Amino acid sequence: MDENMNFHAAAPKIPPRILCIGIPVRDLTFRVQGLPARGSKVNASHFDEICGGNALNAAIGIVRLGGRASICGPMGDAREAAGRFIFDKLAHEGIDTEHIIHMPGLVTPISNIMIDPSGERTIVTFRDPELWKVHLPDADTLLQDCDAILTESRCAEFCTDLCAEARRRGIPVIVDADRAMSLREGLLTASSHLVFSSEPLQETADVADDGEALKKISRLTSSFLAGTRGAQGTIWLDQQGNPQQTPAFPVHTVDTLGAGDVFHGAFALAITEKQDLPEALRFASAAAALKCTRFGGAFAAPQRAEVEELLGHAGGASPVQTN
């Protein structure tokens, strides 16, 4: 690892290692002029097979930005041809796959992804429900040399206990909440940072306003709370419980696939580098914005120097307090 990749003054001299917990996915991507009507056929202008999933995409973003990443979670049967493809891609990115667990007789998830000219993606995914019966390695094994955990809310069933143990050891736990959560879910308190997508945020709180939804959830957890809103930026609560707004970076968007995951990976890395929260959110927003300017899912994630350049050009704009 090039020591010059990590530019933040407070960052550890050895790049931090982030354990990304999730389920790798085989992605079949099609560029289309518009979504097909029911019962119709359309031609795609481009096809690519890549791999994805929240944790895998975040891990790519982390490594591209100068951190170290390992991935842990279930995959399909070891005899699957798709599994070899995913492992080869991860090895090329320098991501540790030691703790991926093959589930005999099961199928690695697969997604059909259609990307329209605006860059928006429509996804159909198959995930075998048996994958959630995975048993992760013990905490001492997974938390050795671990500076932070990044996981997705859908993995709560098999990772909450590990996350709670990490918090007991003082290790940050960042949760990507991209589905509605129960207000009694263990990850609410087994996390240090909860970053929701807007729709799941409102569904979780049963409140049709992002700021008020964050305030409601804040009564149940001491975690830092934020909600990502795409081009509208990120809303979050400061230490006094007041909503703040971090603007998005305006870019020409061609592909949003993986952008949210790159955001979460960059944010987790920034937390391990001891960046303060407004700075960490701007860093994550810049990384996600640059990813959106290129096709290829998370494999279009930027390098650290590109993010630093965008941040430098954008200047030091402060967060905006919202009502």
Side-chain angles (χ1 to χ4, degrees):
M1 181 71 68
D2 183 356
E3 64 181 4
N4 293 320
M5 285 291 292
N6 208 331
F7 294 116
H8 192 262
K13 292 182 179 179
I14 299 175
R17 186 178 78 86
I18 298 172
L19 177 65
C20 301
I21 302 174
I23 307 177
V25 180
R26 180 186 174 202
D27 286 342
L28 307 180
T29 65
F30 302 83
R31 295 185 211 167
V32 295
Q33 285 302 307
L35 295 183
R38 183 174 182 270
S40 67
K41 297 180 180 180
V42 298
N43 290 322
S45 61
H46 184 271
F47 166 77
D48 196 11
E49 179 175 353
I50 56 177
C51 50
N54 299 39
L56 187 153
N57 288 340
I60 294 171
I62 289 165
V63 171
R64 297 277 182 95
L65 295 170
R68 294 180 294 151
S70 59
I71 186 166
C72 177
M75 278 183 62
D77 196 290
R79 295 169 294 179
E80 274 192 317
R84 186 68 268 156
F85 172 80
I86 291 174
F87 273 81
D88 287 346
K89 289 287 190 182
L90 292 175
H92 180 74
E93 292 292 328
I95 296 167
D96 176 18
T97 59
E98 179 183 359
H99 301 305
I100 287 181
I101 301 150
H102 287 289
M103 304 284 282
L106 301 189
V107 176
T108 296
I110 186 168
S111 290
N112 183 341
I113 302 166
M114 289 174 284
I115 303 170
D116 68 25
S118 74
E120 189 57 81
R121 76 280 189 274
T122 301
I123 305 175
V124 178
T125 300
F126 170 73
R127 291 185 179 91
D128 193 317
E130 294 295 307
L131 290 167
W132 272 262
K133 296 181 180 179
V134 66
H135 294 286
L136 301 184
D138 65 85
D140 286 341
T141 297
L142 291 177
L143 298 180
Q144 183 180 10
D145 188 32
C146 177
D147 295 289
I149 287 177
L150 173 60
T151 189
E152 52 190 291
S153 53
R154 69 165 57 89
C155 297
E157 186 174 343
F158 59 79
C159 78
T160 299
D161 289 345
L162 175 69
C163 292
E165 176 60 24
R167 294 301 301 128
R168 283 191 286 270
R169 300 186 188 193
I171 298 171
V173 174
I174 298 92
V175 176
D176 169 4
D178 70 345
R179 66 165 180 82
M181 299 174 67
S182 165
L183 293 178
R184 295 182 295 275
E185 194 160 301
L187 276 181
L188 286 177
T189 53
S191 60
S192 59
H193 301 75
L194 275 164
V195 184
F196 289 82
S197 300
S198 179
E199 185 175 339
L201 170 60
Q202 295 182 22
E203 290 176 358
T204 296
D206 194 25
V207 174
D209 176 84
D210 290 331
E212 292 304 314
L214 290 173
K215 289 180 181 180
K216 180 175 179 178
I217 295 170
S218 72
R219 296 195 286 270
L220 305 173
T221 178
S222 61
S223 296
F224 168 78
L225 295 172
T228 59
R229 305 191 288 183
Q232 298 179 56
T234 305
I235 187 169
W236 50 281
L237 297 185
D238 63 21
Q239 290 185 333
Q240 289 72 45
N242 297 317
Q244 304 286 343
Q245 175 77 19
T246 297
F249 288 82
V251 294
H252 175 61
T253 297
V254 299
D255 178 11
T256 61
L257 180 63
D261 304 327
V262 170
F263 179 101
H264 288 92
F267 180 71
L269 179 62
I271 294 301
T272 66
E273 294 180 352
K274 312 301 183 186
Q275 296 187 34
D276 61 31
L277 287 168
E279 185 181 9
L281 289 167
R282 289 189 73 248
F283 179 75
S285 180
L290 287 169
K291 186 257 101 44
C292 289
T293 64
R294 307 161 183 164
F295 288 104
F299 290 92
Q303 300 290 335
R304 183 68 176 245
E306 296 175 278
V307 175
E308 298 288 348
E309 182 180 9
L310 177 58
L311 289 169
H313 287 163
S318 299
V320 179
Q321 184 165 339
T322 62
N323 295 324

